[in-house]
Amino acid sequence: TEVGSTTNITGGVWTSNGAGNNADHGFYKALGFTLDDEKWYCEFDIKQSGSVVESGVPLYFSAGTAKPLDTSHDALGIMATNAGSVEVWKNTAGTYANSATTALTVDTQYYGVLIRTSATNLRLKFYTNSARTTQHGSTVDLTLSSGITGLNTIQHRTTDNGGTSSGTSNIIDNVKVYNGVTSLDNVWSEEGT
């Protein structure tokens, strides 16, 4: 479902098209299941371009379809900040918190991993190769409330809490979610991984 008009999905790739932080633009979709309240593993590809201005929450999982900073839901994901950094982010019924940031270089492809390692921890790692063997920056952890539950929707959206009409263009592709695990060890798929 599309919200606003600035961002788009073409060929399965979400692009924020430089949408800033003064309006709500993006997409959401039901996962078809509810994420485990203690462990799940998500891979995604991310690339940023344009000016490095805060531009929303390019990938998050929520309980329902509310926008990122809404007070009526719980959500976990990543937030794009000023200076081209990305941080682990949470919304607990309108109380926002984030972690230390990882600086990304504009126009460089990165391969992210977002892991709920327990009921009370969310972890973010970036890599410079698609096999996810060469890490970029440090592992970042964010302490959570164990009450963040019921995450059943994937979203890619901007925020509407600022005055910037143009920001970083975030590009998200190849999102894969594995429920009930904290690593891909012993995970089988039709691709043999």
Side-chain angles (χ1 to χ4, degrees), residues 45-166:
D45 300 350
I46 184 171
K47 187 175 184 180
Q48 296 181 318
S49 63
S51 61
V52 285
V53 176
E54 189 276 323
S55 55
V57 188
L59 172 64
Y60 69 104
F61 301 98
S62 59
T65 61
K67 61 186 179 180
L69 305 183
D70 197 283
T71 60
S72 64
H73 71 137
D74 290 344
L76 298 174
I78 59 170
M79 177 174 269
T81 70
N82 289 324
S85 296
V86 174
E87 60 194 5
V88 186
W89 168 85
K90 67 179 178 180
N91 178 355
T92 308
T95 301
Y96 322 116
N98 46 34
S99 67
T101 62
T102 302
L104 302 183
T105 301
V106 171
D107 295 322
T108 301
Q109 184 68 60
Y110 294 96
Y111 304 88
V113 176
L114 185 66
I115 312 165
R116 188 164 190 173
T117 63
S118 71
T120 58
N121 189 73
L122 186 63
R123 176 169 293 159
L124 177 63
K125 296 181 179 183
F126 287 104
Y127 297 87
T128 57
N129 62 328
S130 61
R132 291 171 171 80
T133 56
T134 305
Q135 189 168 346
H136 169 76
S138 301
T139 300
V140 177
D141 289 286
L142 178 64
T143 300
L144 308 175
S145 161
S146 60
I148 298 179
T149 61
L151 306 181
N152 57 13
T153 304
I154 184 171
Q155 302 209 46
H156 310 288
R157 280 168 92 165
T158 62
T159 57
D160 57 358
N161 63 328
T164 303
S165 60
S166 179

Side-chain angles (χ1 to χ4, degrees), residues 2-75:
E2 183 175 9
V3 178
S5 59
T6 300
T7 74
N8 70 287
I9 295 178
T10 303
V13 181
W14 178 75
T15 304
S16 65
N17 292 322
N21 59 12
N22 68 349
D24 181 24
H25 298 281
F27 288 82
Y28 62 84
K29 181 179 181 179
L31 286 171
F33 57 92
T34 300
L35 287 174
D36 188 273
D37 296 334
E38 295 185 3
K39 53 187 178 179
W40 46 263
Y41 182 98
C42 173
E43 289 185 346
F44 61 96
D45 300 350
I46 184 171
K47 187 175 184 180
Q48 296 181 318
S49 63
S51 61
V52 285
V53 176
E54 189 276 323
S55 55
V57 188
L59 172 64
Y60 69 104
F61 301 98
S62 59
T65 61
K67 61 186 179 180
L69 305 183
D70 197 283
T71 60
S72 64
H73 71 137
D74 290 344

